[in-house]
Amino acid sequence: MRLIVPLQGVVQGRGGLFVGSLIPCCLFYFLQLYLKRRRSPPPPDSDSTELPRTSSRSSLFTRGNSIGRVRVSSRAAPLAKPPDSPYYIGLERVKTDPYDRVTNRDGIIQLGLAESTLCFDLLQRWMSDNLMESLMIQSDVDGGFDVSSIAMYQPFEGLLEVRVAFADFMSRIMGGNVSFDPSNMVITAGGTPAVEVLAFCLADHGNAFLIPSPYYPGFDRDIKFRTGIELIPVHCRSSDNFTVTVSALEQSLSQARKRGSKVSGILFSNPSNPVGNILSRETLHAILSFAQEKNIHVISDEIFAGSVYGDKEFVSMAEVAASGDFDKSRVHIIYGLSKDLSLPGFRTGVIYSFHEDVVSAAKKLMRFCSMPVPVQRILISLLSDTRFIEEYMAAHRQRIRDKHFLFVEGLKQLGIPCAESGGGLYCWVDMSSLLTSYSEKGELELFEKLLSVAKINATPGTACYCIEPGWFRCCFTALADEDIPVIMERIKLLAESSTS
Amino acid sequence: MGLPLMMERSSNNNNVVELSRVAVSDTHGEDSPYFAGWKAYDENPYEESHNPSGVIQMGLAENQVSFDLLESYLEKKNPEGSMWGSKGAPGFRENALFQDYHGLKSFRQAMASFMQQIRGGKARFDPDRIVLTAGATAANELLTFILADPNDALLVPTPYYPGFDRDLRWRTGVRIVPIHCDSSNHFQITPEALEQAYQTARDANIRVRGVLITNPSNPLGATVQKKVLEDLLDFCVRKNIHLVSDEIYSGSVFHASEFTSVAEIVENIDDVSVKERVHIVYSLSKDLGLPGFRVGTIYSYNDNVVRTARRMSSFTLVSSQTQQLLASMLSDEEFTEKYIRINRERLRRRYETIVEGLKKAGIECLKGNAGLFCWMNLGFLLDTKTKEGELALWDVILKELKLNISPGSSCHCSEYGWFRVCFANMSEKTLDIALKRIHEFMDRQSGF
């Protein structure tokens, strides 16, 4: 869109048709040149044949500038640049001046990271009582500590016991009406590699996934970086509470096909991130029907499944897939413990697939990102402690609900509404009333003002590819109750200063 | 059932959903003999009391000789699990939340100090140049993604670790062009072999981005000579390419003085344009016998590579729990000094045991000085000096002797008849039994 606008301006001005046709020609020419350069390998370094074999080593190493600087690959180059998404920019800014209610009350309050600290007291107690036994497993022979139980190579996809523990845990927290087969499961070192490995298995470089937007900004990195798979946003609207519709999927798919893009699947999160809504059974059914009809994959990222606090029941795509109406082999689930069990540091991810070959390929890819054995031992112990898990999950849900209420109420008092949500560790806030202009530019200006003036990091909708300006994701589950009035006061001051 | 159908990539009318090229490719290599032997072991594993005639696994380079040292350290210095981070509010909280791809500073410092100790202080390591990955496998793949584009090549001296075919090529789309080495000079890399490999790539219109060596070498079990390293760096400077040195076995060199790390060579160079092409891969899987922990590192002298690798390491982070567990152990210099010394000694003795035992059976090995394996020459037993001949002998050894060893052809060795035999993943008694089986086999051979 942005390229066409200036061209139109030129064509309509003086020199009109001539300049208007010249510019595309120039662009085309330069594009050809660029592609040509990229395709042919560079000429061999001229140094290679000219150098006399008798030159001493020290003079070679001190030739300084006449030795070319060695290059990295072209796919690494974008990574070397500082990140330009507001999602990452905000996270970085908080690090420079982080809020602390005791030592730095004027610091930037972090609302940009979906993490929960609400139940650390419970986790800590469990770790204190159980960590050592879960790790320092006794040897059968002499009763002393047997380090081989945590030190040796184990299957990269995870011990059977840990997969069984995860299967059981996931079934419990997802309503109990769905069962997971441990042999369809692969354990990874985090949700990030889980998503990437699945993407590597389902689509080739240059293929695309449809993804309802607004979506989690991290997917841009997780999916696109190394796989070269494109993400095509399927825009959802506030009028539907940002729930994806089949007609929107249809439209995006046909547009993609017209452009020559091959769509391999649909990726979505449920509970959704950043909005926090729970997809109904009907919506899941509709998405799966659509995928079946178009013969593409469905990836359901259910990493917030246990962080449901509203009245709406969470239903896993696995449950819908198993209902018998569909070819299950196109359904794949992502899970992990970073959100529901507040253990992002441990690096725990799950790929669950009904497709035998995907499971087989994913298992082999686990050598690049497998979960360490000591962590597996801890999780076997933790996840099978059903009494503790029940207590924990109930407290987790209750405390999120309470915090959510306080946060949303606080915003309501300021006349700032939120989208309806029933899951996740954040809310999707409509700050359009604070915008100076109802546009992406206006939203980014507000983002900057929130950061530098109100000292709050909230993720703007632009970073999430939201088509309506003014929406911000605010994560509240790392806040103490007393932080909330501080936040509301700051937003109030900002609102007042922008209207004055 | 339709399984073959799912593997086909042609357009399908039968509504079976397609998978990617990566998923259906066999670059994972698990159909090769290297892995087939493992399957045979899994089906019939040797066990001292319950299955004494089972398959002895001599194809897995795992170090179990120093477990007792780890156990006694962990038991003594770990009252009430304090080392595991289970005590103290701040400790656990930080641990649970910490997912910064920079890695725990204390852990990086511990790794740097450990790597320095292994090299006898002959090279210094800056903790800020350490990028953590979930294992050396991940480190090698990550570096490949960063240094080379699809269809570019890395030059790798043969014989090499079979896993490289998968780790360096599978998802990255990068090629391996072999640098051929042979027994005439103990498989050392020569400048001529380097030039030839480079030329082979150029002739095929393939862009070479770097050389990747393993030092000490897997499967040779020998260190790379200092002069060879200097020649290598020379070559890389002239061609303006990278040099990656996988030093995963550096702590398993029997005599510390015999190991020269590329870090020592770079230590004395000031020119950034020379230094910044050098990258080192390391891990705790072999030297410390902790493959289950998944701890690897990339050490790069190139700021751009460090920055990029760090960001890309999101796909393969080391668990905060692991970092916590190991940081205090690795920075305990008294422990690490003792561990490194005793571990080297035990490996050396094992090596001598197996080489002597093989010699008595009439079998020669390459003169090795490092690692968890020896490079054995059975060329004289082959019916034909071909890959088929070698695999036929390998099959006999697996089925008749019930020993899983790794054939040289799976390591791309250009000479047939060489085999890698691991000796550190078993008790001394098991090693005895393996040698006995070989003796008996050789007796039967000479009987004809």
Side-chain angles (χ1 to χ4, degrees), chain B residues 1 8 16 57 63 82 144 152 198 226 231 242 255 272 292 299 306 320 324 349 355 406 409 424:
Chain B
M1 208 231 101
E8 280 167 19
V16 171
Q57 172 65 290
N63 182 3
S82 56
T144 306
D152 286 347
Y198 189 86
K226 182 169 184 189
D231 285 345
H242 294 274
H255 300 285
V272 172
Y299 188 88
V306 171
S320 59
Q324 174 93 19
R349 272 194 274 122
V355 166
S406 311
S409 50

Side-chain angles (χ1 to χ4, degrees), chain A residues 45 60 69 79 151 200 297 345, chain B residues 18 20 96 234 239 276 292 311:
Chain A
D45 292 316
L60 176 65
R69 296 295 290 271
L79 268 175
F200 263 116
H297 293 278
Chain B
E18 260 184 66
S20 66
D234 241 5
K239 306 296 190 193
E276 67 177 8
R311 291 188 179 137

